[in-house]
Amino acid sequence: MEELDGEPAVTVIPGVNSKKNQMCFDWGPGEMLVCETSFSKKEKSEMVPSCPFIYIIRKDVDVYSQILRKLFNESHGIFLGLQRIDEELTGKSRKSQSSQWPPVQQPESLLPAGHLLLHLLDWVRLHVCEVDSLSADVLGSENPSNHDSFWNLVTILVLQGRLDEARQMLSKEADASPASAGICRIMGDLMRTMPILSPGNTQTLTELELKWQHWHEECERYLQDSTFATNPHLESLLKIMLGDEAALLEQKELLSNWYHFLVTRLLYSNPTVKPIDLHYYAQSSLDLFLGGESSPEPLDNILLAAFEFDIHQVIKECSIALSNWWFVAHLTDLLDHCKLLQSHNLYFGSNMREFLLLEYASGLFAHPSLWQLGVDYFDYCPKLGRVSLELHIERIPLNTEQKALKVLRICEQRQMTEQVRSICKILAMKAVRNNRLGSALSWSIRAKDAAFATLVSDRFLRDYCERGCFSDLDLIDNLGPAMMLSDRLTFLGKYREFHRMYGEKRFADAASLLLSLMTSGIAPRSFWMTLLTDALPLLEQKQVIFSAEQTYELMQCLEDLTSRRPVRGESDIQQLQDEDIETTKVEMLRLALARNLARAIIREGSLEGS
């Protein structure tokens, strides 16, 4: 499918015919769902989908590349370091406010003429690095000057301006071939005397231009005199050093790309090129190198914009051409910190730096582990970073408790209260499904979710009724103020306290607590029979534990229970499953209560009489 000029490439989905049927799609944080609808674009047609599939279109698929993962991790550390340096220098954090940089001069004015070429040469040498392995291969041979790639190596060194290394290679040729030793020495002298501005050189630009002109004229004389006519390789090198465009274009294969051609062309024809003129040379070099045989690639447009020092156009072209936001996000952030980017506010309230960082961080959140890097990028987006982080972190699948704890820690560090509550509730529900009641109760308390804490407390009480003992005693024993989260949780904690008192033979305290649980309404009505049954051992003690008044209250509770009158605000949910057993329990309780009442009255009367 053809690509519109200046627009991203069209992604074709196999099996989907958008010309025939209307499409349906829904965006997600890192992907999009696409399917065909029942509606045809023709006026009369059956409403039957021709494609019964839902396609998942992933954005930022590069996050799944093993090589790029290393790049993302490494650049993340550099990004954080840059933000901290900025905070130390300015005393301001981008986490809390946005620092608006004043518009400043464009970067071309920061590079004096002459120095620009040095940077371009370094760039080419780093970019076209195959020459080093080729050099090792040639020099490692028995007779380097007879190696098949010897002259290719010398030519590449000259094309990259590495003239000292080229001279050393020519000395190999001179040693191996005495007949050409003289012209090799002359070529070596031309290479040695070529004037070029070096970082430590104090000569003025005018002096450099004058020396270079004399040197260029000397090279021209040697060409006119046919000094190197006997050696086509050396004559070709001389033409390159004279900046002859035809000779340079003959080396297309060794140059490999037009921007290498540009730098070599400038080196040997205009080494003191001014930055303002660079884009003219760039465009003409591109046209000459392609020769109308092919069209510019997206990278070519990016470089043309860079040579024109149009920062915004570079960012735009990169955003269109590159498959992820890594480069433009970090480039924009770096330029912003260097005060080289006048970042205009966009219509939705964010500036360009923040917008690109948000997009990049969103892509990282699509990965099961790289999302952790995305958190820090969101942190340094002062306008929309917090909101974006909240939306994305809620969608992280909590596959393991370790991952959940990591997400939870991030939310707690940033006081994201709602997200903390949501995560804790999700973990509590998972724990309940796996019958891990202690973990479920712990998460529900951490979430401050009273309803769920009540649900888990009911499960604890039900398990106690079935098994006759509590699980997770350490948790229940150490609830502390957390037991006040819900009435049911309070009851669970107090009921466990009753058992502890009973085990410590603090019978009077245990009896008072047991009675208060029933009379205060904290205990669920469905649990009353269990509580009354727990009172039986206390009623049967040799010494009188329950006073006459307490015994009357217990009797009243028993009668309320047996009469099946629902407590106000609570439905009558208990159903006697086994009438015989329940009847026996009730009779035993009535008998024990009657005996205890008699003993209590006698004891209290004796105490009054004395």
Side-chain angles (χ1 to χ4, degrees):
M1 192 172 291
E2 292 187 2
E3 181 180 334
L4 296 176
D5 186 34
E7 294 292 331
V10 175
T11 301
V12 179
I13 307 172
V16 174
N17 189 350
S18 59
K19 294 181 179 179
K20 182 179 178 182
N21 285 0
Q22 292 182 5
M23 306 303 298
C24 171
F25 67 92
D26 187 29
W27 284 106
E31 57 196 21
M32 179 176 68
L33 299 180
V34 179
C35 65
E36 291 185 5
T37 69
S38 301
F39 301 99
S40 173
K41 291 188 175 180
K42 296 180 181 179
E43 292 184 1
K44 295 181 179 180
S45 63
E46 296 182 4
M47 293 178 60
V48 179
S50 60
C51 181
F53 299 106
I54 295 177
Y55 292 86
I56 300 176
I57 312 300
R58 289 191 181 278
K59 182 178 69 171
D60 298 317
V61 293
D62 289 344
V63 296
Y64 295 94
S65 164
Q66 291 294 327
I67 295 174
L68 290 181
R69 281 186 63 184
K70 296 177 182 178
L71 175 67
F72 295 155
N73 278 292
E74 188 68 25
S75 57
H76 167 257
I78 297 171
F79 172 81
L80 289 182
L82 180 60
Q83 313 310 308
R84 289 165 186 153
I85 290 172
D86 182 51
E87 290 173 5
E88 291 171 4
L89 292 176
T90 64
K92 297 178 181 179
S93 173
R94 293 195 179 211
K95 289 183 178 180
S96 57
Q97 58 185 338
S98 177
S99 54
Q100 295 296 323
W101 298 112
V104 295
Q105 57 187 349
Q106 287 298 303
E108 64 263 22
S109 60
L110 304 178
L111 285 173
H115 286 279
L116 173 61
L117 185 60
L118 296 178
H119 291 290
L120 292 174
L121 283 169
D122 288 339
W123 171 57
V124 164
R125 290 165 186 169
L126 287 171
H127 188 73
V128 186
C129 52
E130 298 86 355
V131 63
D132 295 319
S133 58
L134 180 62
S135 177
D137 186 34
V138 171
L139 292 174
S141 64
E142 186 175 344
N143 191 344
S145 62
N146 287 336
H147 194 282
D148 292 341
S149 300
F150 176 78
W151 287 107
N152 277 352
L153 174 60
V154 176
T155 304
I156 293 174
L157 291 172
V158 173
L159 291 172
Q160 290 193 10
R162 298 164 67 167
L163 298 183
D164 288 339
E165 295 172 68
R167 284 173 52 224
Q168 292 173 11
M169 297 303 297
L170 287 179
S171 68
K172 305 285 185 187
E173 169 67 11
D175 294 339
S177 178
S180 60
I183 55 176
C184 282
R185 186 176 64 254
I186 295 172
M187 178 60 73
D189 288 341
L190 288 176
M191 292 179 178
R192 179 178 54 81
T193 57
M194 177 184 174
I196 188 168
L197 189 67
S198 59
N201 202 327
T202 56
Q203 65 183 336
T204 65
L205 192 60
T206 304
E207 291 173 339
L208 175 65
E209 288 176 338
L210 187 60
K211 288 180 179 179
W212 188 86
Q213 188 62 40
H214 286 314
W215 174 83
H216 193 269
E217 290 172 358
E218 185 180 3
C219 291
E220 186 68 40
R221 281 196 301 273
Y222 279 117
L223 183 64
Q224 296 297 329
D225 295 343
S226 302
T227 304
F228 302 101
T230 58
N231 191 318
H233 295 296
L234 291 177
E235 189 171 52
S236 175
L237 292 179
L238 182 64
K239 290 179 179 179
I240 290 173
M241 292 164 63
L242 281 167
D244 185 282
E245 290 179 357
L248 284 170
L249 290 172
E250 286 177 3
Q251 308 299 332
K252 269 189 178 183
E253 188 175 340
L254 298 180
L255 287 166
S256 72
N257 52 61
W258 69 268
Y259 38 94
H260 189 181
F261 168 64
L262 162 68
V263 176
T264 305
R265 180 187 175 198
L266 289 173
L267 174 64
Y268 295 115
S269 63
N270 189 2
T272 57
V273 61
K274 294 179 176 59
I276 197 171
D277 297 326
L278 184 59
H279 71 282
Y280 296 115
Y281 282 97
Q283 185 64 61
S284 63
S285 296
L286 173 62
D287 295 339
L288 284 169
F289 195 84
L290 296 182
E293 298 175 2
S294 58
S295 301
E297 298 288 334
L299 178 60
D300 300 332
N301 296 327
I302 294 171
L303 290 175
L304 286 175
F307 288 136
E308 199 167 349
F309 299 101
D310 188 341
I311 292 175
H312 287 86
Q313 187 63 26
V314 169
I315 294 170
K316 178 183 176 181
E317 295 289 347
C318 289
S319 300
I320 293 172
L322 303 180
S323 58
N324 62 72
W325 298 100
W326 173 83
F327 179 72
V328 289
H330 289 91
L331 173 65
T332 306
D333 179 62
L334 183 61
L335 291 170
D336 197 42
H337 278 92
C338 294
K339 303 184 181 180
L340 295 175
L341 181 70
Q342 185 178 0
S343 194
H344 304 287
N345 283 335
L346 305 177
Y347 70 92
F348 46 80
S350 176
N351 61 25
M352 185 182 294
R353 170 193 174 273
E354 178 161 328
F355 169 75
L356 294 172
L357 286 176
L358 290 172
E359 288 295 322
Y360 175 60
S362 297
L364 292 176
F365 263 81
H367 192 274
S369 62
L370 290 178
W371 63 268
Q372 299 169 75
L373 307 183
V375 172
D376 291 321
Y377 288 96
F378 280 137
D379 279 345
Y380 285 99
C381 294
K383 296 286 187 182
L384 301 174
R386 168 84 179 200
V387 175
S388 299
L389 177 59
E390 289 174 353
L391 292 173
H392 280 81
I393 211 159
E394 288 176 349
R395 295 179 170 90
I396 296 176
L398 306 178
N399 306 331
T400 64
E401 190 159 317
Q402 181 183 6
K403 187 175 183 180
L405 288 170
K406 192 175 293 184
V407 176
L408 194 60
R409 185 164 57 251
I410 288 171
C411 293
E412 288 177 336
Q413 289 170 349
R414 291 157 180 78
Q415 290 83 46
M416 296 164 62
T417 309
E418 288 301 318
Q419 285 68 31
V420 169
R421 185 177 292 115
S422 174
I423 292 167
C424 290
K425 189 168 182 178
I426 290 170
L427 294 172
M429 293 175 71
K430 284 186 176 181
V432 165
R433 283 196 294 269
N434 295 323
N435 205 33
R436 296 168 53 220
L437 298 183
S439 178
L441 183 58
S442 178
W443 285 120
S444 61
I445 290 172
R446 196 165 177 177
K448 296 182 173 58
D449 191 325
F452 206 82
T454 297
L455 174 68
V456 179
S457 300
D458 281 337
R459 286 285 300 272
F460 265 106
L461 295 172
R462 191 173 71 195
D463 277 10
Y464 171 78
C465 292
E466 294 173 356
R467 297 163 51 192
C469 62
F470 282 113
S471 59
D472 300 285
L473 285 178
D474 287 343
L475 175 62
I476 301 174
D477 287 342
N478 294 283
L479 284 173
M483 74 168 63
M484 305 306 294
L485 182 61
S486 76
D487 286 348
R488 198 59 47 83
L489 186 57
T490 303
F491 170 70
L492 177 64
K494 291 297 183 181
Y495 185 54
R496 167 57 191 157
E497 188 178 339
F498 159 76
H499 280 278
R500 192 167 58 248
M501 289 177 175
Y502 186 88
E504 295 169 356
K505 299 188 183 304
R506 294 163 53 195
F507 297 135
D509 292 337
S512 298
L513 178 57
L514 183 69
L515 183 61
S516 68
L517 289 176
M518 298 181 70
T519 56
S520 65
I522 292 178
R525 190 180 182 86
S526 58
F527 211 75
W528 277 21
M529 182 55 74
T530 302
L531 294 176
L532 289 167
T533 305
D534 288 334
L536 272 174
L538 295 173
L539 293 170
E540 299 294 340
Q541 291 290 325
K542 289 183 179 180
Q543 70 272 30
V544 177
I545 305 298
F546 289 103
S547 66
E549 183 180 355
Q550 290 176 324
T551 307
Y552 277 125
E553 289 183 284
L554 285 174
M555 287 178 168
Q556 184 62 48
C557 289
L558 180 59
E559 292 306 314
D560 287 345
L561 184 62
T562 53
S563 64
R564 301 188 181 184
R565 289 197 303 267
V567 177
R568 182 182 296 273
E570 184 178 346
S571 60
D572 186 12
I573 60 171
Q574 81 274 4
Q575 298 292 332
L576 299 177
Q577 300 295 322
D578 191 328
E579 292 292 339
D580 292 338
I581 294 176
E582 290 300 318
T583 301
T584 303
K585 284 183 180 180
V586 170
E587 292 303 321
M588 288 176 62
L589 283 168
R590 282 177 175 161
L591 181 60
L593 287 167
R595 282 203 301 260
N596 189 81
L597 180 59
R599 292 165 60 202
I601 290 173
I602 293 171
R603 179 174 178 275
E604 290 170 10
S606 300
L607 290 174
E608 288 178 3
S610 63

